[in-house]
Amino acid sequence: MSARRSPPLALCLVLVAVFASLTACSGDGGGTTTLHVLASDELADMEPVLTRLREDTGVRLAMHYRPTNDASDTLVTGRHSYDLAWLSSDRYLRLRLKGRGGAGSPPPAVQSTSIMRSPVVVGLTPDVARRLHAGVPGRRLSWADIADAAATGTVRFGMADPRHTNSGLAALVGVATAASGTGGALRPQDVGCDRLRGFRSGQALTAGTSSALLDDFAAHPGRTNALITYESALLRLNASGRLAQPLEIVHPADGMVLSDYPLLLLDTARRAAYDKVVGWLTAAGHQREIMRETLRRPVSTAVRRDDRLASPVGNALYFPDDPAVLDRLLADYGDPGAGTADQVIFLLDFSGSMRGARTDALRAAFASLSGADTSSTAKFVRFHLGERLTVVRFGGRPLDERTVTVRGPRDLEALEEYVAGGGYDGSTAIWSALDHGYRRAQQAVRDDPARTVSIVLMTDGENNAGLGPAAFAERYRARPAAARAVPTYPVRFGGADAAELRQVASLTGGRMVDGHATSLSAAFKEIRGCH
């Protein structure tokens, strides 16, 4: 019988290495303890710090990177094998859990510790920064100013997809909070209104991750002139030498959403290693190291901030505490890569009673929506670049109409002149005008099913010509479903019949606005903000 041969030396060494790896992963044998961490993708810049963490503590963080909101969705399912999660923010996670009936804290997370901070801010190229500062001399720029400049085409910004990323979602919450004007956490009624359409019309670049957004921005100079993302990311981009000129970093005066990068313990069996990691990361010396490497703000009050972080965060905005708010906000904003396609059909009463002061009020209402009103609330409801506006003047029948697609100030000036151009009639055919409006709406949604279409009906009298309500209703119900889905917002003015206009709103899914209560300009702004 031949002698049994020993395994080759090379095979022995492989087996020893495999065994060492397995014991390290479990923490056995006094070797390196490995914790698997589901992490926000922007935390990849922490790798040099984590190398030193492992050297000092014997704990290795094996980082598995995902966009923050996608990572949170994974945690909500409970179907994962991660020891820890490290997110730029866990607010989205908590809201998703709350929406599923959870208690609001991320099970099975048993502990959460903030490690560093960074607000979501705006970076502007020097030329556009000068233009915006010239328009608001002596005060800080706000989200309202950014939204206004986006609506006019002055600002063309890049922002990561809010459906997947925390930076995009935090920016959206910031803009929507400023648009609501309440100063508090967003409520369903605050985001059920289309106050972000003008802001969204300025988005020229998006990406599925924050890091990809920075790469695309740097690779395509001139395509955009603003970037909305973390303060830390903008500072690092400025320092990278990838830009022809550094961006001016704007901390919006109406507040920002602050990310605090919590480290979450998911597996209670890993508490000892978790505590060791947290202790190391939050020690003053390592907080300085993190700040130096990433340009995020330290959570330790004992650490003096880098000069580039000297600006105080200022007003930190509340994050929504209602899951329905988040769902509605994301649904309203939609796919940031799809662009906007809006059309408003204005049916304006030009019966004889509209002569003089009432026509002046109508023209003033259009001027305020074209930028004459510079208040913060008006900046969120103004006409925006790319929007299609159809104005139909009617009396006893539709008299004439004009359609413009907004490309610049001249288009809006032409529309104002048309609105004030006269051409009155002795009768008022409300239902016939509305039927004409729905013919135009039906054509618009047929030509572009993605187009958002609404109708605004303004009258100062009662119907005394043309179709009656029953005849209109019969024609309306015979139209395709897409046309019937277009809402009408009647504006009561002068001696208009409130009951008749409520009937219009009820039938078409809109809402009556009373111009008597405030002014015609205010009524039009209310409609722009809530359809």
Side-chain angles (χ1 to χ4, degrees):
M1 179 180 294
S2 60
R4 181 174 297 172
R5 300 178 59 187
S6 300
L9 178 60
L11 177 58
C12 291
L13 292 175
V14 168
L15 292 173
V16 168
V18 169
F19 178 76
S21 175
L22 290 173
T23 56
C25 288
S26 64
D28 295 336
T32 299
T33 298
T34 296
L35 301 179
H36 290 274
V37 185
L38 180 59
S40 296
D41 64 279
E42 57 264 25
L43 285 166
D45 62 6
M46 285 286 291
E47 290 290 349
V49 175
L50 299 185
T51 297
R52 290 186 282 277
L53 166 71
R54 183 183 63 207
E55 293 169 353
D56 290 352
T57 66
V59 179
R60 182 176 78 92
L61 300 186
M63 306 285 274
H64 304 264
Y65 296 112
R66 298 280 304 280
T68 301
N69 297 352
D70 293 350
S72 298
D73 288 335
T74 296
L75 295 176
V76 168
T77 67
R79 296 189 295 273
H80 63 81
S81 57
Y82 298 106
D83 304 307
L84 312 180
W86 197 353
L87 307 175
S88 53
S89 170
D90 64 357
R91 296 186 185 100
Y92 175 89
L93 170 62
R94 292 177 183 278
L95 274 186
R96 285 292 177 235
L97 289 163
K98 188 174 182 180
R100 289 167 60 101
S105 60
V110 292
Q111 192 168 337
S112 173
T113 306
S114 296
I115 303 299
M116 49 201 169
R117 297 190 176 100
S118 192
V120 171
V121 298
V122 184
L124 301 175
T125 58
D127 58 334
V128 77
R130 283 191 296 270
R131 292 176 65 181
L132 265 60
H133 284 301
V136 291
R139 70 170 177 83
R140 288 170 56 195
L141 293 171
S142 66
W143 284 119
D145 297 322
I146 300 299
D148 186 59
T152 64
T154 302
V155 162
R156 303 182 312 281
F157 66 88
M159 184 178 82
D161 192 331
R163 299 171 299 178
H164 301 286
T165 68
N166 175 69
S167 63
L169 182 58
L172 204 54
V173 168
V175 179
T177 303
S180 73
T182 66
L186 289 168
R187 305 162 301 174
Q189 60 265 37
D190 297 325
V191 296
C193 302
D194 255 346
R195 298 190 183 103
L196 302 187
R197 303 300 288 182
F199 170 74
R200 186 180 172 219
S201 70
Q203 184 163 4
L205 179 67
T206 191
T209 67
S210 299
S211 55
L213 178 73
L214 298 179
D215 291 340
D216 287 351
F217 181 88
H220 300 94
R223 180 177 171 185
T224 52
N225 54 23
L227 196 58
I228 301 176
T229 188
Y230 300 107
E231 173 191 63
S232 56
L234 292 176
L235 288 170
R236 290 199 311 277
L237 183 62
N238 279 346
S240 69
R242 300 165 67 190
L243 303 179
Q245 292 180 292
L247 300 175
E248 178 179 316
I249 297 179
V250 172
H251 296 79
D254 35 13
M256 293 150 281
V257 174
L258 187 65
S259 297
D260 64 344
Y261 296 87
L263 186 63
L264 308 176
L265 174 62
L266 305 179
D267 184 353
T268 55
R270 300 306 214 174
R271 179 182 289 278
Y274 170 85
D275 289 342
K276 189 181 294 186
V277 169
V278 166
W280 191 94
L281 290 172
T282 56
H286 301 129
Q287 286 275 290
R288 291 189 193 93
E289 188 176 351
I290 292 171
M291 179 174 60
R292 186 172 58 249
E293 290 282 352
T294 71
L295 289 172
R296 297 188 182 97
R297 294 169 180 257
V299 294
S300 172
T301 57
V303 176
R304 180 184 176 276
R305 291 200 301 267
D306 184 288
D307 289 342
R308 289 168 290 182
L309 300 170
S311 298
V313 170
N315 183 25
L317 296 177
Y318 295 99
F319 203 81
D321 56 7
D322 184 345
V325 170
L326 206 62
D327 291 337
R328 187 173 295 181
L329 185 62
L330 291 171
D332 282 357
Y333 198 74
D335 180 355
T340 57
D342 301 335
Q343 181 167 355
V344 183
I345 301 169
F346 291 92
L347 307 176
L348 306 180
D349 184 349
F350 268 71
S351 57
S353 58
M354 281 292 296
R355 292 180 188 273
R358 291 181 179 177
T359 296
D360 291 343
L362 185 58
R363 183 175 189 178
F366 270 77
S368 68
L369 293 176
S370 300
D373 186 342
T374 59
S375 66
S376 293
T377 53
K379 290 180 177 182
F380 286 103
V381 296
R382 62 166 297 153
F383 295 135
H384 59 78
L385 206 68
E387 189 172 19
R388 184 180 296 177
L389 306 171
T390 296
V391 173
V392 180
R393 300 191 296 194
F394 73 92
R397 56 181 175 78
L399 301 173
D400 49 32
E401 67 181 77
R402 178 76 56 85
T403 296
V404 301
T405 299
V406 180
R407 302 298 181 198
R410 183 65 193 121
D411 296 312
L412 297 175
E413 291 167 6
L415 206 60
E416 289 176 44
E417 292 168 4
Y418 173 73
V419 166
Y424 300 95
D425 188 73
S427 303
T428 305
I430 292 173
W431 298 100
S432 292
L434 199 56
D435 185 59
H436 180 84
Y438 273 92
R439 281 200 299 274
R440 290 288 176 266
Q442 182 173 328
Q443 180 182 353
V445 295
R446 183 184 64 233
D447 293 346
D448 184 357
R451 185 176 297 280
T452 300
V453 181
S454 60
I455 296 174
V456 176
L457 168 68
M458 189 285 300
T459 181
D460 72 338
E462 299 180 14
N463 188 72
N464 58 20
L467 296 174
F472 168 78
E474 183 178 357
R475 295 188 182 194
Y476 169 81
R477 292 183 178 117
R479 295 190 184 280
R484 295 197 309 274
V486 172
T488 293
Y489 298 87
V491 178
R492 184 184 177 221
F493 194 49
D497 184 343
E500 188 169 41
L501 297 185
R502 289 192 188 95
Q503 187 179 3
V504 170
S506 176
L507 179 63
T508 63
R511 180 173 58 84
M512 189 192 82
V513 178
D514 196 337
H516 290 111
T518 49
S519 67
L520 199 55
S521 289
F524 275 34
K525 290 189 186 76
E526 183 177 343
I527 290 168
R528 292 281 296 178
C530 291
H531 76 268

